[in-house]
Amino acid sequence: MTPPAGDVELLASGRDADVFALDAQRVLRRYRDGGDVTAEVAVMAHVAADGFPVPEVFAADGADLVMTRVAGPTMLTALVSGDVRVDDAARTLAALLHRLHAVPPRGATGSVLHRDLHPDNVILSPTGPVVIDWRDTTEGPPDLDVALTALIIAQVAVDDSPLTGIATAVLTAFLAHARGNPAEQLGHAVTFRRANPTLTEREAALLTEATRLVRAQV
Ligand SMILES: Nc1ncnc2c1ncn2[C@@H]1O[C@H](COP(=O)(O)OP(=O)(O)O)[C@@H](O)[C@H]1O
Ligand SMILES: [Mg+2]
């Protein structure tokens, strides 16, 4: 795929990827460290075919993914600005997970899981929430996805930042709305989060604290 021209607008730069606006309708998401989007694109097509809200994929090649430019703020941005209430955001997260896990599985190893479904990976579009960032998708037990969402939010809640209060409130509301029994899979969720090669010593300590915070509420 040709590199974006010089005048292309950089919309966002995350931990792994840069996202460029190609035009009013399309973005290019490019992994900085290379990689292959084939697997995540296949899952996006699979869940989209069942009606799950994901951006439409127009082209995929190596580390590049061209998809619908979804209008609207991320759920995180909307929480910070006060445009969405904590309880509504938490309910939406729980509903998205429940809906995703109802998609007929592709293989024989469990439900489709996202494994990174948190407020910065949900765009609140005028037609409803849309889930992005499918890099960590796999198949497995739904409780693992619920435990991971809780743990990711808890990692923000235990870190001292302007988001601490919001994350603490979202975590409690999310666990109240979420289905299943995330306690069952919390250990596996921690193992998965700990396996991140970029985890610093400080993040590892916060992960232990985050695990305690979730454990106390499930
Ligand atoms: N299809 C899209 N439409 C509009 N904005 C997007 C889209 N995909 C990503 N973004 C923006 O780029 C950010 C980073 O994208 P994401 O796929 O979550 O990558 P990362 O792995 O870096 O978190 C998102 O939080 C969102 O602001
Ligand atoms: Mg993301």
Side-chain angles (χ1 to χ4, degrees):
M1 200 168 292
T2 48
D7 59 350
V8 178
E9 182 195 354
L10 179 66
L11 278 186
S13 208
R15 194 185 273 231
D16 303 322
D18 296 318
V19 178
F20 303 91
L22 293 181
D23 53 41
Q25 277 83 39
R26 299 174 310 150
V27 296
L28 164 66
R29 180 174 189 268
R30 169 168 288 169
Y31 286 126
R32 280 189 299 275
D33 58 354
D36 186 359
V37 297
T38 308
E40 68 192 90
V41 164
V43 173
M44 289 171 79
H46 177 75
V47 301
D50 196 56
F52 189 82
V54 291
E56 184 182 349
V57 174
F58 300 118
D61 181 21
D64 288 359
L65 180 50
V66 178
M67 61 186 144
T68 314
R69 180 176 183 175
V70 181
T74 66
M75 180 186 281
L76 178 62
T77 299
L79 277 163
V80 171
S81 67
D83 287 331
V84 67
R85 288 178 19 208
V86 164
D87 196 64
D88 291 336
R91 195 187 298 270
T92 298
L93 285 177
L96 285 169
L97 284 166
H98 187 60
R99 175 68 186 87
L100 176 63
H101 301 148
V103 172
R106 299 161 73 216
T109 53
S111 303
V112 175
L113 308 184
H114 185 284
R115 291 202 294 187
D116 200 22
L117 210 164
H118 58 71
D120 204 33
N121 281 336
V122 177
I123 299 178
L124 298 178
S125 86
T127 55
V130 177
V131 178
I132 59 170
D133 202 354
W134 290 78
R135 172 172 243 192
D136 289 332
T137 184
T138 188
E139 291 185 2
D143 286 342
L144 177 59
D145 233 358
V146 175
L148 278 165
T149 294
L151 196 55
I152 293 163
I153 296 168
Q155 285 182 267
V156 179
V158 297
D159 202 356
D160 190 23
S161 88
L163 296 176
T164 303
I166 289 174
T168 304
V170 171
L171 175 64
T172 301
F174 170 71
L175 289 171
H177 291 300
R179 315 281 187 109
N181 186 6
E184 285 280 310
Q185 290 291 328
L186 188 54
H188 291 295
V190 174
T191 303
F192 178 71
R193 296 291 297 172
R194 215 173 269 290
N196 183 338
T198 67
L199 201 75
T200 64
E201 214 168 290
R202 179 182 141 72
E203 285 170 334
L206 288 171
L207 183 54
T208 303
E209 214 181 310
T211 308
R212 259 189 238 120
L213 185 63
V214 176
R215 183 74 72 193
Q217 297 182 63
V218 292

